[in-house]
Amino acid sequence: AAHKPEEACDEVARNRWFELDADRWYVVQQWLDKIPEEHRIKNPDLLLSQSWGAYENFQLEHMFRLLEQVKPLLSDTEADKKLYGEWYVLNGLIAHWSGNGKEALKLFQQALDLLPNHSELVMGMLYLHIGLASSVVGKKDLAIRNLNQLLSTGSGSAIYQTRLLAGLFYINQFAANLNDAKRAAQEAQRLAKKDKLDYTHAMAICMEATACFCANELETALTLYRLAYD
């Protein structure tokens, strides 16, 4: 990658969503680490990929700095439409986790208008956080209904469906509906295990463990945390 950086950038841009949709954001991050920064910062696909890695490590300030570098690289063309949609999703994540639910929902709506409606990671993350942001602004019951409606169709990949289930988990967990939170986490585990989504499977185990901990089921919670760690 260091010897042929332009070719490496093109290769990552072509293949990044195959890995991200396969639950392997960390593989993309390993690719990016091998490319000199002066080349990464010229490529919006690579900067957006770095932003997903920063999100998974909850590095919101780093995400913000990366996304600031993306927008000047985008143009108002059909080719960049999906990249703009992805940019809006990631900015919406920052807004939501910074406590600004109304702004997050505006950004998520802009993303919906731009992204193709294929049911993979980015759409799962989008609907997950529309649910969370809606719950924050007082529309919890509507958020739960919408997520359940999306799940009821049975369509979409496992990585998409597990993100919808994560939305149900977090909304119910924050509302102290612990049994519903556990059920969502258990179903996410089932789907992730079936499709060998190892990262999602471990996270879903942690979700169930958290619900058990809040229900004072401490031995079960500890067993689950150990299982996720292993």
Side-chain angles (χ1 to χ4, degrees):
H3 298 300
K4 296 183 178 180
E6 290 84 4
E7 291 182 18
C9 289
D10 291 343
E11 190 73 16
V12 172
R14 280 195 301 272
N15 293 289
R16 69 187 186 100
W17 273 111
F18 177 82
E19 293 298 323
L20 290 170
D21 285 336
D23 208 28
R24 293 190 291 265
W25 62 269
Y26 47 88
V27 170
V28 179
Q29 190 60 51
Q30 289 168 1
W31 292 347
L32 294 169
D33 289 343
K34 296 177 181 178
I35 297 173
E37 183 180 8
E38 62 265 28
H39 293 277
R40 292 201 309 266
I41 63 175
K42 298 175 185 177
N43 189 307
D45 282 273
L46 272 59
L47 288 167
L48 289 166
S49 297
Q50 277 189 274
S51 299
W52 286 111
Y55 174 77
E56 292 297 346
N57 287 286
F58 210 66
Q59 298 169 337
L60 299 186
E61 290 184 8
H62 185 40
M63 279 181 72
F64 180 78
R65 290 193 298 271
L66 289 166
L67 292 170
E68 276 192 317
Q69 298 175 74
V70 172
K71 197 168 187 181
L73 301 175
L74 299 179
S75 59
D76 293 327
T77 63
E78 191 67 24
D80 280 356
K81 187 176 178 180
K82 183 180 177 182
L83 295 179
Y84 257 119
E86 191 178 345
W87 185 86
Y88 279 117
V89 172
L90 288 160
N91 275 284
L93 298 182
I94 294 173
H96 171 72
W97 291 109
S98 299
N100 194 340
K102 288 183 179 179
E103 178 63 19
L105 286 171
K106 290 179 184 177
L107 292 163
F108 292 146
Q109 183 58 56
Q110 288 172 293
L112 275 175
D113 293 340
L114 291 167
L115 287 168
N117 191 27
H118 64 84
S119 300
E120 297 291 342
L121 174 65
V122 68
M123 294 304 294
M125 290 292 288
L126 179 55
Y127 286 128
L128 186 172
H129 287 88
I130 287 174
L132 292 185
S134 298
S135 181
V136 166
V137 300
K139 298 180 180 179
K140 174 178 69 69
D141 292 341
L142 177 62
I144 289 174
R145 283 200 302 273
N146 287 343
L147 287 168
N148 276 320
Q149 184 176 5
L150 288 167
L151 282 163
S152 70
T153 67
S155 62
S157 64
I159 201 157
Y160 167 77
Q161 292 184 36
T162 53
R163 269 56 189 175
L164 302 182
L165 288 162
L168 287 177
F169 165 79
Y170 284 115
I171 293 169
N172 282 297
Q173 177 75 11
F174 295 152
N177 300 327
L178 300 180
N179 286 332
D180 288 340
K182 283 185 212 174
R183 281 192 286 271
Q186 289 164 354
E187 178 63 8
Q189 288 173 58
R190 185 188 71 79
L191 291 175
K193 186 175 183 179
K194 180 181 177 183
D195 270 47
K196 298 180 181 179
L197 304 176
D198 294 339
Y199 178 75
T200 295
H201 187 238
M203 293 299 294
I205 293 172
C206 288
M207 285 156 45
E208 183 184 359
T210 302
C212 290
F213 179 83
C214 292
N216 204 32
E217 299 168 4
L218 302 185
E219 288 188 12
T220 301
L222 182 59
T223 298
L224 288 167
Y225 281 128
R226 286 173 173 162
L227 179 62
Y229 182 78
D230 292 340

